[in-house]
Amino acid sequence: MGFQAVRGTTDLLPDEVARWSAVEHTARRLSRLYGYREIRTPIIEEAGLFLRSVGETTDIIQKEMFRFEDRGGHDLVLRPEATASVVRAYLEHHLHKTEGFAKLFYLGPMFRAERPQAGRFRQFHQFGVEAIGSGSAWVDVEAILLCAQILRACGLPAALPSQPTGAAQAGVAGATVWLASMGCRADQKRSAEALRKRLSPHRAKLCKECQARFDKNVFRVLDCKNPSCRAIAWETPGSPFLLCDACAAHFDEVRRGVREAGVAFDDTKVFARGLDYYTRTVFEVRVQGLGAQDAVAAGGRYDHLVEELGGPPLGAVGFAAGIERLLMALKQGAAEAPSPARRGVYLAVAQAALLGDGFRLVHRLRERGVAALMDYDGKSLKAQLREADKLGCRLVAILGEAERTQGAMTLKDLEQGSQQTVALDAFVEEAAKQAKATCH
Ligand code: ATP
Ligand code: MG
């Protein structure tokens, strides 16, 4: 056996890429609809960027970063997430001065040295948005609605948490939006004390990591994947966050906005986001049937990150969706994807001597913007017709000696099962017309 892709990374072959492109296209289209503009930042960043932003006690920093020193001794990482990168770029290019409020989206690979398993990879891909420069609850509402609309447009039905929808009963994965507010920093301090108090009788039963988290960042216990920790953390229902009046009012506005837009959510779940930078609104989209890796998208507000990275005190909110997980969720309930529409022209040549004539026609079609294919290896006519069918071509034209001398060609429509004769002179024109009329 020769080389293989590195564990936790995946090759996407063309059929799979078609599914990815559809999701990417939907995410881009809808983000623009909401006024977000695409940003592309590098895959490598200084390690310090994530140490400063994501938080020392998080899994990402403690064990998941691909961190290396380059030859010049710089401490670098393959980015584990993109929020910190986007905020860095926002500040580095002075968008806080030129634009103030900026709505940005990104798509790309992220890297985490996790144990590879279903739904968990070392190179995975996220689509995400960041709205930087506002504290308004409407921005949170907008981000949640955009997230829900993208997932729905990709084919994931949003289900009410308490009542399974028809779609869920029909075997299509139902998605649930979990919504909470983690409050401001002062609220988090009070909430952490209360949570420590509540969990301390169970402390000995928590996993080793959670015991360590207990003093440093007790909310991480709520995010632990260990079932026994989950059972303890979730024993007392309801959000563990104690909110001050301002944060409670902000959260009410968010809930009202999302509710009025008709997106169902569950605000009774015990959960916190694992990264340190979150304040106030946090949300996750969970999908039934995905097992332990059931979070398809997650996000929230981060009102201190811009300042912590050296900028002015500006509020911000964002989310990221895992594309692999979204595709898994779509696959599990999905009816077989409809086979793509037949497109383009296959030019079959009856004998090798006509290859050159055939190639000229194919080239003219391509110049006209029509997808055109042919065989270069002298396959039999039968084999060429089989290939045209396999490749999903819409039209097949056969060029033989007879066609050439008679100055006419047969054009077959593989979808309609019809065929017609066209003059050789008019072939490119006619094929282009038919292919264009049927291909889009
Ligand atoms: P989890 O709790 O599943 O570890 P997380 O809290 O680490 O997720 P985020 O950093 O919030 O995840 O990333 C947002 C989304 O990115 C997740 O909801 C998930 O869909 C996806 N994601 C995160 N880590 C991975 C991974 N290792 N492989 C595939 N997708 C991932
Ligand atoms: Mg994780």
Side-chain angles (χ1 to χ4, degrees):
M1 191 68 186
F3 292 109
Q4 290 182 350
V6 171
R7 218 164 94 82
T9 71
T10 319
D11 295 314
L12 297 176
L13 299 180
D15 282 346
E16 195 68 12
V17 171
R19 284 165 32 87
W20 278 66
S21 303
V23 166
E24 289 164 1
H25 178 75
T26 302
R28 281 202 166 93
R29 180 174 62 81
L30 293 175
S31 300
R32 291 190 188 117
L33 206 70
Y34 281 65
Y36 285 82
R37 295 163 69 215
E38 184 163 357
I39 181 167
R40 300 185 187 193
T41 62
I43 280 164
I44 47 175
E45 294 274 4
E46 274 181 55
L49 175 63
F50 299 100
L51 301 179
R52 175 92 61 92
S53 58
V54 170
E56 305 268 0
T57 61
T58 59
D59 284 353
I60 291 184
I61 300 302
Q62 290 195 336
K63 51 187 187 196
E64 296 175 358
M65 281 218 289
F66 281 103
R67 190 169 173 181
F68 60 98
E69 199 175 287
D70 74 0
R71 287 176 206 188
H74 301 105
D75 187 7
L76 303 178
V77 290
L78 298 182
R79 65 178 182 195
E81 57 116 46
T83 301
S85 306
V86 172
V87 173
R88 177 202 48 70
Y90 173 88
L91 292 173
E92 184 171 340
H93 303 285
H94 311 290
L95 300 191
H96 55 301
K97 291 183 189 140
T98 54
E99 295 193 19
F101 183 44
K103 303 208 304 192
L104 305 164
F105 76 86
Y106 59 84
L107 258 161
M110 308 295 155
F111 304 84
R112 296 185 196 175
E114 304 204 63
R115 189 171 67 78
Q117 54 194 292
R120 210 173 270 296
F121 306 94
R122 294 187 152 183
Q123 173 175 336
F124 62 100
H125 299 76
Q126 284 184 341
F127 162 77
V129 311
E130 314 293 348
I132 308 172
S134 170
S136 166
W138 291 108
V139 187
D140 309 42
V141 172
E142 188 184 76
I144 294 166
L145 299 185
L146 172 57
C147 183
Q149 191 170 347
I150 290 172
L151 297 180
R152 221 180 309 122
C154 287
L156 199 67
L160 275 168
S162 51
Q163 64 190 71
T165 63
Q169 280 154 2
V172 179
T176 308
V177 178
W178 289 11
L179 186 59
S181 174
M182 293 178 67
C184 56
R185 290 279 187 251
D187 293 346
Q188 289 178 7
K189 220 167 145 205
R190 284 189 298 134
S191 310
E193 271 165 33
L195 185 60
R196 269 191 214 104
K197 216 174 195 173
R198 168 159 94 69
L199 294 179
S200 64
H202 307 285
R203 189 167 175 171
K205 285 176 274 169
L206 295 172
C207 73
K208 248 191 18 233
E209 282 174 83
C210 281
Q211 307 233 4
R213 287 166 182 154
F214 196 90
D215 295 315
K216 283 193 202 145
N217 185 352
V218 68
F219 301 128
R220 298 278 306 117
V221 176
L222 305 178
D223 203 38
C224 183
K225 303 288 179 291
N226 198 317
S228 59
C229 295
R230 280 195 172 188
I232 295 167
W234 296 4
E235 194 181 61
T236 312
S239 174
F241 294 101
L242 309 165
L243 303 182
C244 64
D245 289 347
C247 287
H250 191 273
F251 190 39
D252 282 342
E253 278 185 71
V254 174
R255 279 188 289 201
R256 200 177 326 123
V258 176
R259 195 179 295 121
E260 279 172 9
V263 169
F265 59 84
D266 185 341
D267 59 0
T268 66
K269 288 286 190 279
V270 184
F271 86 106
R273 296 284 305 127
L275 283 55
D276 271 3
Y277 51 62
Y278 285 108
T279 48
R280 293 194 162 176
T281 315
V282 285
F283 67 99
E284 294 202 355
V285 182
R286 305 261 172 167
V287 173
Q288 294 135 33
L290 279 192
Q293 273 59 255
D294 62 350
V296 166
R301 176 161 280 286
Y302 48 94
D303 282 340
H304 301 290
L305 185 58
V306 179
E307 197 173 10
E308 274 158 23
L309 293 179
L314 289 174
V317 59
F319 71 82
I323 299 185
E324 285 84 354
R325 288 207 201 156
L326 172 58
L327 287 167
M328 268 170 66
L330 295 176
K331 227 176 201 169
Q332 71 167 357
E336 232 2 76
S339 47
R342 290 187 166 276
R343 60 187 301 265
V345 180
Y346 190 99
L347 196 122
V349 288
Q351 63 232 40
L354 295 171
L355 257 173
D357 293 285
F359 191 85
R360 273 185 286 282
L361 290 173
V362 163
H363 182 60
R364 280 172 55 199
L365 283 167
R366 289 172 177 162
E367 281 192 321
R368 287 286 308 264
V370 177
L373 291 171
M374 69 180 293
D375 161 62
Y376 304 129
D377 292 318
K379 284 201 184 86
S380 73
L381 198 54
K382 214 167 130 194
Q384 290 179 68
L385 296 181
R386 244 194 334 258
E387 188 167 75
D389 184 44
K390 200 179 98 196
L391 293 174
C393 296
R394 172 85 193 231
L395 302 169
V396 181
I398 300 172
L399 179 65
E401 204 46 59
E403 280 81 8
R404 223 167 58 136
T405 47
Q406 287 157 19
M409 277 173 77
T410 307
L411 202 53
K412 278 186 200 227
D413 187 322
L414 293 186
E415 195 151 292
Q416 313 260 307
S418 57
Q419 70 178 57
Q420 67 183 124
T421 309
V422 292
L424 200 50
D425 302 341
F427 166 72
V428 170
E429 210 49 44
E430 191 54 38
K433 206 164 79 198
Q434 289 195 26
K436 284 215 160 136
T438 54
C439 283
H440 298 286

